[in-house]
C-alpha cells in the first residue's frame, strides 16, 4: 500500500469557500472513486492550504480510481467548475507508511467508504487540532502515522501526523522538525 498526500494552495481568503463546496457537494462524488483518509486546513505555516490524504493498494488501483473520477459527471461538471477556480497550486507526495497507530489502521481498513455530503448547518471542522511535520527529528505524543516520501515533492522526506487532545501541547511535535504546521481537520475527515 501507499499513501498520497496532496497539497492545494488556495486563493487567499477563499479556503472556507472551497471547503464549503467540497463538504456539501464534492465529497460523495470524489469518495465514490478515491479512498479518502484525511482532509485538513492549515492553521499555521502556509495559510490557505489544504492537505488531503488518500490510501491505495497499488499504482494500478490509483490509476483506475483517477480514471473513474475523471469520468464522473457529478464531479467534473458539478464540483470542478465551482471548486477548482479557487486552487492556485497543487502538488503531491506518494508515501509509504513506516509507523501506524490504531486510528490510522482503522482508517486504512475502511478506506473504500463513500462519504455523504454534509449539510451547511453541520460544523465544518472537528474538535481537535492535528499537526503535520516534515523531518526525521519530529517526535511527540499522539502520533497517528509516519511516512517516507517515495515520489513527488520532497522525495526521501519523513512526514508525520499527530493528534492533539484538549490540554496537550500541540507544539511538542515540532521539536527537531524542518517544518511544522497545525491543522484543522474537517469534521468529515476520517483522520481527525
Amino acid at each position: 500500500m501507499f499513501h498520497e498526500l496532496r497539497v492545494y494552495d488556495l486563493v487567499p481568503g477563499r479556503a472556507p469557500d472551497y471547503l464549503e463546496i467540497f463538504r456539501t457537494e464534492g465529497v460523495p462524488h470524489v469518495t465514490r472513486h478515491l479512498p479518502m483518509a484525511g482532509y485538513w486546513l492549515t492553521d499555521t505555516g502556509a495559510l490557505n492550504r489544504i492537505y488531503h490524504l488518500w490510501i491505495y493498494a497499488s499504482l494500478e488501483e490509483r490509476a483506475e480510481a483517477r480514471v473513474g473520477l475523471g469520468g464522473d459527471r457529478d464531479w467534473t461538471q458539478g464540483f470542478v467548475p465551482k471548486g477548482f477556480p479557487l486552487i492556485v497550486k497543487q502538488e503531491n507526495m506518494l508515501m509509504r507508511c513506516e509507523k501506524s497507530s490504531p486510528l490510522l489502521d482503522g482508517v486504512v481498513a475502511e478506506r473504500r467508504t463513500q462519504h455523504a455530503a454534509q449539510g451547511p448547518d453541520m460544523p465544518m471542522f472537528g474538535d481537535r487540532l492535528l499537526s503535520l511535520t516534515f523531518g526525521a527529528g519530529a517526535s511527540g505524543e499522539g502520533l497517528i502515522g509516519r511516512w517516507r516520501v517515495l515520489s513527488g515533492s520532497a522525495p526521501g522526506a519523513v512526514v508525520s501526523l499527530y493528534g492533539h487532545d484538549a490540554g496537550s501541547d500541540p507544539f511538542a511535535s515540532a521539536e527537531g522538525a524542518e517544518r511544522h504546521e497545525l491543522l484543522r481537520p474537517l469534521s468529515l475527515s476520517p483522520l481527525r
Side-chain angles (χ1 to χ4, degrees):
M1 297 198 101
F2 69 89
H3 299 198
E4 179 177 10
L5 183 64
R6 295 182 72 92
V7 185
Y8 290 3
D9 290 329
L10 304 171
V11 172
R14 300 295 304 273
D17 299 332
Y18 179 92
L19 294 173
E20 185 67 15
I21 298 165
F22 179 78
R23 74 187 192 95
T24 60
E25 298 179 34
V27 72
H29 310 307
V30 71
T31 59
R32 183 169 31 219
H33 304 282
L34 306 184
M36 182 173 73
Y39 221 93
W40 315 290
L41 173 68
T42 55
D43 207 46
T44 65
L47 301 179
N48 296 291
R49 173 173 283 177
I50 57 171
Y51 287 99
H52 35 118
L53 185 66
W54 309 87
I55 302 172
Y56 298 99
S58 65
L59 287 173
E60 293 76 20
E61 181 190 36
R62 179 181 181 268
E64 290 171 11
R66 304 290 308 170
V67 166
L69 182 62
D72 188 321
R73 292 171 58 95
D74 292 328
W75 178 255
T76 60
Q77 295 179 17
F79 176 77
V80 169
K82 295 176 185 175
F84 277 32
L86 302 177
I87 300 171
V88 174
K89 178 183 169 191
Q90 298 172 292
E91 61 183 287
N92 76 341
M93 292 165 249
L94 299 182
M95 310 182 302
R96 180 146 348 263
C97 187
E98 293 187 337
K99 187 165 185 173
S100 191
S101 66
L103 175 59
L104 181 56
D105 292 342
V107 169
V108 169
E110 298 293 323
R111 69 188 182 86
R112 298 298 306 175
T113 300
Q114 183 176 357
H115 299 273
Q118 292 185 320
D121 57 327
M122 296 178 74
M124 183 178 289
F125 297 107
D127 293 337
R128 69 178 185 161
L129 288 174
L130 303 181
S131 62
L132 191 68
T133 64
F134 291 81
S139 62
E141 292 184 23
L143 181 71
I144 294 172
R146 178 167 289 134
W147 299 265
R148 183 162 307 273
V149 177
L150 304 172
S151 183
S153 302
V158 173
V159 178
S160 301
L161 181 69
Y162 298 87
H164 307 291
D165 294 320
S168 70
D169 180 5
F171 306 108
S173 57
E175 186 175 333
E178 295 166 19
R179 190 166 94 215
H180 178 272
E181 293 175 316
L182 291 177
L183 307 176
R184 293 210 176 270
L186 265 64
S187 59
L188 58 73
S189 175
L191 292 173
R192 62 180 179 277

